[in-house]
Amino acid sequence: QLSVGSAEDGSSPGACRAETDLSNILPEQVWPYVGQVLDFIYSEHITMTIENAVPLLRCADALQIRSLFLVSGEGINELLSVTSAPKFLGDTVALLGGELAEQIQTSAQNVIADSFDSYSLEDLRLIPTSQLVLILKRDDLSIVHENEVFDRVRALAEAMQREDSTEDVTQLWQTVRLGALSNGYFVKAAQVDAI
């Protein structure tokens, strides 16, 4: 539990007790980064990485540390790449909300769509299904033919079925544009129960 104590001022009749238990403010996923937040507060220096950028942004937002918020935002912009985009998507879905999350997610989706053919199955599995569905539905996906989407979805579906994620599998299959498949792939699609 992350706790920095509590402030209590009993000297006046209208005194209030301010809770400073950080575990009530910050999600557990960011607790390992609180030390880096404190280091930043004292030194105003931090090294942004793919692993810590979104959690630090979440901490900065929740704790209202504007300078860390700005540094984290800049760090995400600088670090966003083909390699980091799936991680950033996963982290923003888990840790952020609102307009800020949408901005980061849109940027990461653009990077992934532009380089979709370079991602392995393991890379794609890092992306939350809701985000992957949005990417697969895009018209500007960097693929040569819809058959490639079918192959990727089939591989993802097989892996997800082992984990009993049937709802996610159904969502992924709904992204395949059946009319754009070659004749051979259309026959394969007809044999998939989830379609």
Side-chain angles (χ1 to χ4, degrees):
Q1 182 175 359
L2 302 173
S3 182
V4 292
S6 63
E8 189 171 8
D9 179 13
S11 61
S12 65
C16 68
R17 182 171 189 256
E19 180 65 41
T20 56
D21 181 353
L22 296 180
S23 63
N24 291 331
I25 299 169
L26 298 172
E28 191 171 347
Q29 299 97 312
V30 304
W31 293 358
Y33 303 97
V34 171
Q36 292 179 37
V37 171
L38 293 174
D39 289 344
F40 177 81
I41 290 170
Y42 291 110
S43 69
E44 294 209 10
H45 174 75
I46 198 156
T47 301
M48 286 290 158
T49 66
I50 293 170
E51 296 298 322
N52 73 3
V54 174
L56 289 173
L57 183 66
R58 175 65 170 95
C59 289
D61 187 37
L63 300 173
Q64 300 180 5
I65 305 170
R66 181 169 170 72
S67 56
L68 180 59
F69 185 87
L70 295 172
V71 168
S72 298
E74 290 172 16
I76 290 170
N77 285 333
E78 291 172 11
L79 292 168
L80 184 59
S81 66
V82 172
T83 305
S84 66
K87 173 80 171 133
F88 284 167
L89 270 179
D91 286 353
T92 57
V93 167
L95 299 175
L96 300 175
E99 186 178 325
L100 178 61
E102 289 176 22
Q103 290 174 357
I104 296 169
Q105 290 167 4
T106 299
S107 296
Q109 289 169 7
N110 290 340
V111 169
I112 293 169
D114 289 344
S115 302
F116 186 78
D117 55 350
S118 69
Y119 288 101
S120 69
L121 177 63
E122 292 76 29
D123 294 330
L124 295 177
R125 295 211 42 206
L126 292 174
I127 302 171
T129 303
S130 62
Q131 295 295 311
L132 188 55
V133 165
L134 293 173
I135 293 165
L136 290 170
K137 287 182 175 181
R138 292 174 61 138
D139 292 330
D140 62 345
L141 202 58
S142 70
I143 56 165
V144 176
H145 198 277
E146 190 69 16
N147 292 352
E148 292 178 52
V149 172
F150 181 91
D151 287 337
R152 294 292 184 96
V153 168
R154 181 175 53 196
L156 286 165
E158 288 171 0
M160 291 173 139
Q161 283 176 333
R162 288 190 290 269
E163 298 169 359
D164 199 28
S165 302
T166 53
E167 185 177 320
D168 290 345
V169 169
T170 301
Q171 288 178 18
L172 287 177
W173 278 118
Q174 290 173 351
T175 65
V176 176
R177 297 172 181 153
L178 299 175
L181 294 174
S182 67
N183 291 339
Y185 272 80
F186 192 79
V187 171
K188 290 179 185 180
Q191 298 169 353
V192 175
D193 292 333
I195 296 181

